[in-house]
Amino acid sequence: MTSIKHVAVVGAGQMGRGITEVCARAGLHVTLCDVTEDRARAGLAGVADSLLKAEQRGALTPEDRAHALASILATADLTHLSGADLVIEAAVEDERAKTALFRQLDEVTDPAAVLASNTSSIPIARLAAVTGRPEAVVGLHFFNPVPVMPLVEVIPSLHTSKATELRVRAFAGEILGKKTILAQDRAGFVVNSLLVPYLLAAVRMVGTGTATAEDIDTGMTAGCAHPMGPLRLADLIGLDTVAAIGEALYEEYREPLYAPPPLLRRMVESGLLGRKSGQGFFSYKAA
């Protein structure tokens, strides 16, 4: 298998920044791409801030921080992805947007490059179908925050070659030092198929007045030893992302437990997206 030395990350949001950071810290050359130069530069600034905090915690030497930062190119030009061995898409959790992007990636990248998606819920086969290399398309689902969470789900579609599966699993495990699990190409994969119904159940409890957000979260942290309550976790993930994953799961399985509750829909429509907007089930605004 050809070694992976140059990784392109498409999408400079929270997940894209985290993936960029772990790749750069692993000694890889990374191209971070977004739709505008401003968004790409903002993504790079976020990575720089995270690297600085890692240095201040003693988790990174000043030399390693400088080397990691120097290995990242931020750009809005997709042609800069042409030399990548692996492209990881970390764009908005919207199937139309992702399929349109995969068509573009198929055109601008080297034919030997692997195209991976960090999607939380969209079947990989749908993304592979719009490319001319379905055997080289795979799911590579990281968890937030990427530098901290050890897990990566590897999701081959029915068309993904064994060589591609082994290549990305070795990349995540041996190069990035992550723990990998293999998931079937079904909406939600392993983790979100279990996690999202739990989060949605907590939202329903708030919506029906069964309990407050504070009491629900305290119940799960103090009563079940969870490190974080379901509603703070939903806020951390992003309520829009939780809703999008729920929609994808419901479309796939048609089971009511996957359907986003009315309260969640209203909050997303109102721009109350959780930590990233400053307000969700809890407030994150500076005092």
Side-chain angles (χ1 to χ4, degrees):
M1 292 184 291
T2 305
S3 62
I4 292 172
K5 298 179 179 178
H6 179 185
V7 176
V9 179
V10 184
Q14 189 173 38
M15 293 302 295
R17 295 176 189 185
I19 296 168
T20 296
E21 179 179 340
V22 297
C23 289
R25 289 176 66 169
L28 301 168
H29 173 57
V30 189
T31 301
L32 176 60
C33 188
D34 212 313
V35 292
T36 68
E37 291 287 347
D38 285 347
R39 289 178 64 167
R41 284 194 293 267
L44 180 58
V47 175
D49 182 62
S50 182
L51 289 170
L52 179 59
K53 289 177 180 176
E55 180 190 328
Q56 292 169 341
R57 293 194 307 271
L60 204 60
T61 67
E63 294 76 17
D64 286 342
R65 178 181 68 84
H67 185 268
L69 196 57
S71 70
I72 305 168
L73 169 69
T75 182
D77 187 351
L78 284 176
T79 63
H80 287 149
L81 278 55
S82 61
D85 304 306
L86 168 65
V87 180
I88 304 174
E89 169 272 313
V92 62
E93 191 70 2
D94 177 87
E95 186 173 333
R96 289 185 181 180
K98 287 185 186 292
T99 52
L101 180 54
F102 266 76
R103 287 191 184 95
Q104 289 181 287
L105 295 176
D106 192 40
E107 294 174 358
V108 302
T109 57
D110 188 291
V114 172
L115 304 182
S117 177
N118 184 57
T119 178
S120 303
S121 58
I122 298 168
I124 304 304
R126 297 181 189 174
L127 304 178
V130 303
T131 75
R133 60 181 107 174
E135 73 287 348
V137 178
V138 67
L140 204 54
H141 182 216
F142 293 79
F143 290 81
N144 184 39
V146 179
V148 176
M149 299 296 284
L151 184 67
V152 175
E153 289 180 312
V154 176
I155 309 103
S157 79
L158 294 175
H159 291 292
T160 305
S161 69
K162 193 67 177 179
T164 297
E165 176 193 318
L166 292 174
R167 191 179 183 194
V168 298
R169 199 161 191 180
F171 160 76
E174 297 171 17
I175 297 178
L176 300 187
K178 298 292 189 181
K179 183 180 292 292
T180 64
I181 61 172
L182 201 63
Q184 289 192 4
D185 190 19
R186 304 288 187 270
F189 316 130
V190 173
V191 174
N192 280 324
S193 290
L194 295 168
L195 175 64
V196 172
Y198 162 64
L199 301 182
L200 297 180
V203 176
R204 288 190 190 95
M205 291 185 78
V206 176
T208 58
T210 303
T212 65
E214 291 83 355
D215 284 348
I216 291 167
D217 275 20
T218 299
M220 296 310 294
T221 55
C224 294
H226 287 201
M228 182 181 292
L231 297 165
R232 285 195 185 276
L233 179 55
D235 278 352
L236 176 63
I237 294 168
L239 301 187
D240 52 341
T241 301
V242 173
I245 298 170
E247 292 281 8
L249 288 165
Y250 183 71
E251 180 186 348
E252 179 96 329
Y253 301 109
R254 295 297 174 183
E255 294 185 14
L257 77 164
Y258 294 124
L263 175 60
L264 182 61
R265 295 179 188 274
R266 296 298 88 76
M267 292 180 73
V268 172
E269 291 164 358
S270 301
L272 304 175
L273 307 180
R275 187 180 293 272
K276 62 186 172 184
S277 70
Q279 181 67 51
F281 288 98
F282 301 92
S283 177
Y284 304 92
K285 296 174 182 176

